[in-house]
Amino acid sequence: MNFFGFGQTADIKVELTGSETREKVPVKLENGQTEKQPLYFDGETVSGKVHIHLKYPGKKLEHHGIKVEFLGQIELFFDRGTHHEFSSVVKELAPPGEMLRNQTFSFEFKNVEKPYETYMGINAKLRYLVRVTIIRRMSNIVKEKDIAVHSLASYPEVNNRIKMEVGIEDCLHIEFEYNRSKYHLRDAIVGKIYFLLVRIKIKYMELAIIRRETTTAPGGQSHYTENQTITKYEIMDGAPVKGESIPIRLFLSGFDLTPSMPNVNKKFSVKYYLNLVLVDEEDRRYFKQQEIVLWRKAQTSRSALAATQRHE
Amino acid sequence: MSQKGKGSAAKPGAAMSQDALLAEASRAVKENAFAMKRSLDEDKLMDALKHAVAMLSELRTSALQPKTYYELYIKVTDELSHLKTVLEDIFEKKGPISDLYELVQYTGNILPRLYLLITVGAVFIETNRVPAKDVLRDLVEMCRGVQHPLRGLFLRNYLLTTVKTLLPEEQTGEGGTIHDSVDFVLLNFAEMNKLWVRMQHQGHSRDRTRREKERLQLRLLVGTNLVRLSQLDNADVDMYKATVLPAVLEQVINCRDPIAQEYLMECIIQVFPDDYHLATLDKLLTACAPLHAQVNVKAIVISLVERLVQFFSQSRADAAATAGVPADVDLYKVFADNIRSLFQARTTMAPEDAVAIQLALMKLTIECYPENLDYVDEIFKNTIDHLKSVGLTTVEPRTAACEQLSLLLRLPLETYPSLTPALKLSSFGNVLSMFSYATRHALAVFTAKKIADSNFAVSTEAEADVVFGELLLPLLGEVEGQPKSFHQDGSFVEEQVVVARVLSLVQGVDLDTQAQILASLKKQLLAGTIHRMRYCVPAHVFKALQLAQGYSDARDDDELWEKKCSKLYSMVRTCVLALAEGELPMLALKLFLQAALVTSTTTFAKSETIAYEFCSQAFSLYEEEVSDSKEQVAAMTLMIGTLQRITCFTEENYTPLITKCALLSSKFVQKPDQCRGVCACANLFWSGKLADSDEELRDGDQVLKCLKKAIKVARSCLEPSTQASLYADIYDAYTSFYIRGCEQVTNTIKEGGGGGVEE
């Protein structure tokens, strides 16, 4: 009917329940821009209304049914276009028929499972969306609405400090200590570097946070690994001598971090490393990487948090 | 640990001059500061912070030398204070920006981050948002991240100056107490000192001189910490003793760096109050021993001592001041003990430095314990012991050690108005014996003048031993190293005159003591050369005679006085004979006559014999040794005068003597002398007195004989004017005898004795 542009068509608008009050978080899009998306957590009901607005009032819209889906998808860079759906719930809003006027449908995905966190990486993307489809003979009318999902974790049961002595024989021996091995995203890394032996002329020392994203090709044969330096943080200027202890305190909340994701649907993983780098006067670099686990903690009052961090 | 990469160490700006580098950096600072202020005006705090970071990044340079870096630092911190003011304003008006402390910590580079953190931290403290102690502790700890000495020193200096007025000084308080403040400054100090010391060991060894110069330029930054500690209101002496000083000293000692140790010790001494030093003397001094061998410990100890000396003398001058020499601490002992262990620990110390330290201690001792001479004595003893222990038995003249040692000796002499205390010092002589002749001699002259000027009377044997046996020895007797021609020295006579004055001042507490002193002096004097005797012996003889008179005056109190007198006279005889043998006949003659005169006044059994002996000695000297005619006349005049005054002779002794006088007078070479001589002798026959009578001799015949002889001689005189004057003299004599009632003379006058005069 709308073959030549005359047929009836419709605008779909998805309105999520409580969108006014719900927290929105920025999510990076493919085109480099950021979009604020409403934030949901695992098990939370996703409900709302679908408004279908006919373009030409009075004309009827034939369809083969209207459905709403809740989807969780993973898209890998080398396999673009293929969306691996790890989660899919479909609800029928209307049986096949005709629409004569604008109509609003309510939908509800009760306690829907959202096992992973929204992730926009280099080679992997994980998104959740609500998709409304008006099924038609020729071309469906589709509307997608992205939502952001944060997966909260509880306090890790074991959270040992990381303490290690490393060195190059007769050249440099240091002992580093990070107060934990698992940090939540608004945490601060507190630690110290203790110099046991220094025979090189160190220029400076920095701590880098590295995100390692590993994607697995279908079938599990090949892996692609991307290392991404989130930040470089100078923690020492100048050459220490034996016996010096250099403090570390790095607040995490200012950086674009996600929780560590060991295995997302066998498709990809995201890990974080602290890379301690010492650079000597000849610009040689000495480094040691140490994995840390990042987790997302349910948000509490911000200022109270800052206060506790400061005193740790 | 893994390693990778090797790049070339780029040194940007190495070729540029310091001025050019500074100009460039300053321009960047100015631009960024301008942008920062504009953002602040527009209420864009985040942008302002970004510009502040850019501005602060200029301080990350490694190309600037300390002086230039300092200029840049001043520029940057000036601008930073603007940011601080604005932040305070915002906090005041709109309440705190709670995230700010965290926000600035996202700065990637550590140096700008810490400068910002300090600035923000200060604002938080100032607006009472967080307990000061937590912020202070955090800041001072975080600053450890800057290990580059120059940048670290300035950063920590910024920290100290920024929170300077914000340190809690209360005894209790939620924001922190004085203890927190002390800990804070101490930690900052320790870290700064480490950085400062480290500068010494970085870079090429060929740059050492330059590096040391640079370090000296930076020392104030380190010292400021100590100044701040001294200014903390509630940091009392107990806290200083228990916390501050031990911590500071620990740093000083452990850094093992001569420049730092020297400066910091000096700094401690200068910045903290005197009563603090008094309470911690032992600690402070003990700390000197382990200092680096190159450290000038002498200067440190002296500076401490002088500070205390000044303090005491001031508090003495200011009568209202309650502070004085503490009663519970024996300052001398503390110093002495520590100095002793200091010497033991520092065997390489130059002897002059060791002596200089003792000299300082001496000043302190005299200032604090003027009464306690044992201390002074002990200082001498310790000094000698130390010098000997380092193998120094004599100090060469014109060396520093000699200079210091002389000063050490002079100090007590100069200080005490009376010499009595100084002479009780038994070690004095030991110190003296360290010197070579020239120095001892100079010291002796100094002492002699001091004694003479103060009219000090040597009054006991012990004193005499010290004064003549030690102090003045180089002026009295043979001392090793004395040059042969010492008596030709320009000042020799002057010196000896002073010695003679000292001798003439000798006044024993009682007669016997005086006798003892003189007896021992005699030995010493006679052992010397004639050049000295000439000046000293007369003084000694007069003292001896005076004493004899003294015995005589007190004859009722002392049964043995006669014996003592004869002993004295015998001593006098020996002394005068020594002079005579030394070819000083005139002097000896005069002294014999003087002795005779005195003897005659001290009447006792042997006095006549003794007086006669003196007179006969005088006569024999006259005859044998006095050959010059003028001297003969002078001597004879003296002899005549003496004999006339002596009243102890019997006729048996007297007559030969006066007859001899007349005889000798008539043998003068010159006629006028003969004439006048016999006239004078005439008097002897008339007014001379004998021991057994109160009457004068009144031997008119002899008188006339003499006068006639005089006329005879006058007559034989060829020169009319001389003759006239002689006649006048004779006429005078005649007249005088006439007045005195000499009949014979009266007759002669009648007979025309005046004939000659008429002629």
Side-chain angles (χ1 to χ4, degrees), chain A residues 233-237 239 241 244-247 249 251 253-254 278 281-287 309-310, chain B residues 1-5 7 9 101-102 105-110 113 138 141 144-145 147-148 151 198:
Chain A
Y233 194 72
E234 192 185 24
I235 53 173
M236 186 185 76
D237 170 28
V241 293
E244 287 292 351
S245 164
I246 307 299
R249 184 168 58 216
F251 290 101
S253 64
L278 290 102
E281 299 219 317
E282 266 99 46
D283 281 342
R284 283 184 292 246
R285 299 166 74 81
Y286 307 81
F287 60 93
Q309 282 165 346
R310 204 166 298 133
Chain B
M1 181 154 244
S2 324
Q3 182 199 337
K4 82 180 172 191
Y101 198 79
E102 182 180 324
Q105 293 187 59
Y106 285 107
T107 312
N109 287 116
I110 185 157
R113 180 199 315 151
D138 191 52
E141 282 291 338
R144 283 182 200 273
Q147 292 286 318
H148 185 275
R151 296 195 282 270
R198 199 181 296 165

Side-chain angles (χ1 to χ4, degrees), chain B residues 421-645:
Chain B
L423 298 180
K424 289 183 185 144
L425 306 170
S426 58
S427 296
F428 208 93
N430 295 337
V431 182
L432 273 177
S433 63
M434 299 285 294
F435 289 115
S436 60
Y437 172 74
T439 322
R440 290 195 65 174
H441 179 258
L443 272 168
V445 172
F446 168 80
T447 320
K449 283 185 177 156
K450 165 88 183 163
I451 295 177
D453 290 347
S454 60
N455 282 328
F456 170 76
V458 174
S459 58
T460 63
E461 278 179 77
E463 282 178 8
D465 282 350
V466 176
V467 172
F468 300 111
E470 285 170 356
L471 295 179
L472 303 189
L473 191 61
L475 298 176
L476 289 170
E478 291 294 329
V479 173
E480 202 187 315
Q482 173 176 289
K484 284 211 174 70
S485 58
F486 69 95
H487 55 88
Q488 286 163 358
D489 199 61
S491 54
F492 174 72
V493 174
E494 191 196 339
E495 290 160 21
Q496 290 300 318
V497 169
V498 177
V499 176
R501 268 195 69 194
V502 175
L503 285 171
S504 67
L505 286 167
V506 170
Q507 188 59 58
V509 283
D510 54 37
L511 297 174
D512 289 346
T513 313
Q514 177 81 341
Q516 290 290 351
I517 296 175
L518 291 176
S520 54
L521 260 176
K522 178 197 116 184
K523 269 184 223 138
Q524 200 183 354
L525 291 178
L526 294 189
T529 63
I530 187 65
H531 305 292
R532 291 203 173 107
M533 281 196 239
R534 174 184 200 150
Y535 299 96
C536 306
V537 170
H540 180 255
V541 166
F542 275 99
K543 288 314 278 188
L545 295 175
Q546 203 178 33
L547 178 61
Q549 243 164 352
Y551 274 123
S552 167
D553 293 345
R555 57 180 65 189
D556 300 335
D557 304 333
D558 192 348
E559 287 174 7
L560 293 172
W561 75 276
E562 290 185 14
K563 218 170 165 187
K564 286 175 181 165
C565 276
S566 357
K567 217 167 149 190
L568 278 171
Y569 290 132
S570 137
M571 180 170 82
V572 167
R573 183 172 168 274
T574 325
C575 287
V576 181
L577 276 177
L579 287 179
E581 281 160 24
E583 297 178 349
L584 293 168
M586 272 307 279
L587 183 58
L589 186 141
K590 288 177 194 167
L591 290 174
F592 273 134
L593 291 176
Q594 179 67 26
L597 202 57
V598 173
T599 316
S600 81
T601 63
T602 61
T603 325
F604 66 104
K606 281 201 249 166
S607 60
E608 187 188 356
T609 329
I610 294 170
Y612 186 79
E613 164 67 14
F614 285 143
C615 286
S616 67
Q617 287 289 353
F619 275 94
S620 65
L621 274 175
Y622 178 87
E623 284 177 315
E624 289 162 24
E625 308 284 345
V626 183
S627 51
D628 183 87
S629 59
K630 283 205 176 99
E631 279 185 5
Q632 282 181 339
V633 175
M636 184 50 71
T637 317
L638 278 176
M639 280 151 65
I640 294 166
T642 310
L643 284 173
Q644 196 182 350
R645 300 271 314 275

